[in-house]
Amino acid sequence: MRPAGEGRLRIVAGEAGELPGIPPASVHLIVTSPPYPMVALWDEMFAAAGAHDYASMHALLTNAWRAARSALVPGGLLVVNIGDALRSVDGEFRLWPNHSAVVDSCESLGFRSLPYVLWKKPTNKPNAFLGSGFLPPNAYVTLDCEFLLIFRNGKLRAFPPHDRAREASRFAKAERDRWFSQVWTDIRGARQATGDRRSAAFPPAIPERLIRMFSCVGETVLDPFAGTGTTLWEAVRLGRNAIGVENDPRRLEHLRAVAERAGYPDF
Ligand SMILES: C[S@@+](CC[C@H](N)C(=O)[O-])C[C@H]1O[C@@H](n2cnc3c(N)ncnc32)[C@H](O)[C@@H]1O
């Protein structure tokens, strides 16, 4: 039996750049992690969509940010989890600053950037440095954080005084102090137990925190790159309605199987 107060769930087969069947201005919060440009794990997927270089990969992602803007209510928030990439191209080793490309795209689409969060990825190899040894100046900093880029769709949302759903979503002072700081070093639990090491799932603590920070009970949370559904399961557990969009049939099958086992009602 599902606990009282859980939200409803909708799983949509389709493209993040199209968001089929999701009406304009119907989503309060988007928490998502897209495929990362210039990270080898995603090369095949970008290539299948006709994107072979950094610019065209980000052009594809920009379609998703455009659709996200239209799905959000005025004042709704988009949170994009993304990491930069390190990769040699034509013999030159470079940092590919995915976070700045996403900021540029979203700003040009009319989103407004809010202060972002850097979260430190848990590692079981704390002494492993990717840099090149102990002699200056040719070592480089280990890439061990990811960005949570936060964008608002227009002006602040307005609420009537003492709005009940908002009051019911209040967080404690200790939570506020920890969550609204710019560097998160306490994210544990790494990956979901999907048995698939290539799932690129983020730790459930990421969407859990963001959903409590940026949405109210009863509102709608969307993940247009749903993957294993980490955002969806957290949203439903926290009393929000969740919509997941995914274009990979294997992932969709997994999402539907989990949803069916849990008995989440559709909406
Ligand atoms: C980084 S993973 C998301 C992981 C997710 N946050 C989780 O915790 O499981 C990106 C997902 O986006 C899906 N995807 C890639 N391109 C897509 C597109 N154009 N439309 C919808 N889904 C897409 C991939 O199949 C993959 O499951």
Side-chain angles (χ1 to χ4, degrees):
M1 173 103 161
R2 294 178 334 101
E6 280 196 344
R8 292 169 302 162
L9 174 72
R10 201 169 131 204
I11 292 168
V12 178
E15 290 293 320
E18 293 167 7
L19 302 181
I22 300 176
S26 63
V27 168
H28 301 88
L29 170 66
I30 297 176
V31 175
T32 197
S33 186
Y36 294 1
M38 303 306 276
V39 169
L41 174 66
W42 298 108
D43 282 359
E44 219 176 285
M45 192 227 76
F46 278 113
H52 298 274
D53 61 20
Y54 184 63
S56 54
M57 291 176 190
H58 276 287
L60 273 185
L61 294 187
T62 299
N63 293 334
W65 313 140
R66 186 179 297 107
R69 181 145 191 263
S70 136
L72 280 170
V73 298
L77 293 159
L78 164 66
V79 184
V80 179
N81 179 84
I82 196 146
D84 291 341
L86 292 171
R87 184 155 187 174
S88 295
V89 172
D90 299 332
E92 189 190 2
F93 183 73
R94 286 176 61 183
L95 174 90
W96 301 88
N98 285 323
H99 78 279
S100 93
V102 174
V103 170
D104 284 349
S105 294
C106 287
E107 284 276 340
S108 71
L109 289 166
F111 277 111
R112 286 298 158 252
S113 295
L114 300 179
Y116 55 79
V117 170
L118 274 176
W119 65 278
K120 197 159 175 358
K121 291 184 281 186
T123 175
N124 46 18
K125 291 191 263 173
N127 298 320
F129 284 90
L130 295 171
S132 45
F134 299 91
L135 294 172
N138 292 345
Y140 54 86
V141 169
T142 307
L143 212 55
D144 56 4
C145 287
E146 295 200 359
F147 291 79
L148 296 168
L149 303 173
I150 306 170
F151 304 98
R152 196 172 53 224
N153 180 28
K155 301 212 169 89
L156 286 175
R157 285 179 62 193
F159 291 86
H162 311 298
D163 182 87
R164 283 176 64 179
R166 198 179 186 202
E167 291 293 337
S169 313
R170 181 183 285 278
F171 28 77
K173 180 178 180 308
E175 291 172 327
R176 198 238 5 228
D177 293 349
R178 210 152 30 95
W179 299 350
F180 287 84
S181 81
Q182 209 185 4
V183 184
W184 293 354
T185 53
D186 59 343
I187 296 297
R188 309 263 168 269
R191 307 291 169 199
Q192 275 193 337
T194 59
D196 178 356
R197 288 185 17 243
R198 289 170 63 89
S199 74
F202 46 31
I206 297 285
E208 177 188 26
R209 227 174 247 200
L210 294 167
I211 288 163
R212 289 200 54 208
M213 289 165 74
F214 296 125
S215 72
C216 300
V217 170
E219 292 188 339
T220 298
V221 176
L222 165 70
D223 187 345
F225 296 98
T228 64
T230 316
T231 296
L232 312 181
W233 318 134
E234 290 304 312
V236 168
R237 185 176 68 75
L238 294 167
R240 278 69 169 171
N241 298 319
I243 307 177
V245 176
E246 175 57 59
N247 72 355
D248 178 336
R250 283 176 315 127
R251 297 256 171 263
L252 281 163
E253 201 180 311
H254 167 82
L255 289 169
R256 290 191 175 121
V258 177
E260 203 175 301
R261 267 204 306 278
Y264 292 127
D266 200 0
F267 75 104

